[in-house]
Amino acid sequence: MGEIVRFISKSELERARLIREARANYERIFPSADPADPQGAAVEGDGSEATAKP
């Protein structure tokens, strides 16, 4: 009943896409020390990024 729908602007979606792409490039160049953990020791974001893929 009380479902909230959040508007995500095109610029915010583009920003999130660029961040994902940059992180993937960084991980490809500097692989994490633990191959079992794809995120390495990185801490997840604060939730301000869009998580849904278009």
Side-chain angles (χ1 to χ4, degrees), residues 5-51:
V5 177
R6 181 174 168 239
F7 173 76
I8 302 174
S9 66
K10 285 185 179 181
S11 62
E12 189 175 347
L13 287 172
E14 179 68 3
R15 177 182 173 276
R17 185 190 66 79
L18 289 171
I19 289 170
R20 283 193 306 270
E21 185 177 319
R23 286 180 178 161
N25 287 339
Y26 184 89
E27 183 63 27
R28 190 184 71 223
I29 295 169
F30 304 106
S32 61
D34 184 5
D37 184 8
Q39 292 296 321
V43 176
E44 289 296 319
D46 62 358
S48 62
E49 298 176 4
T51 56

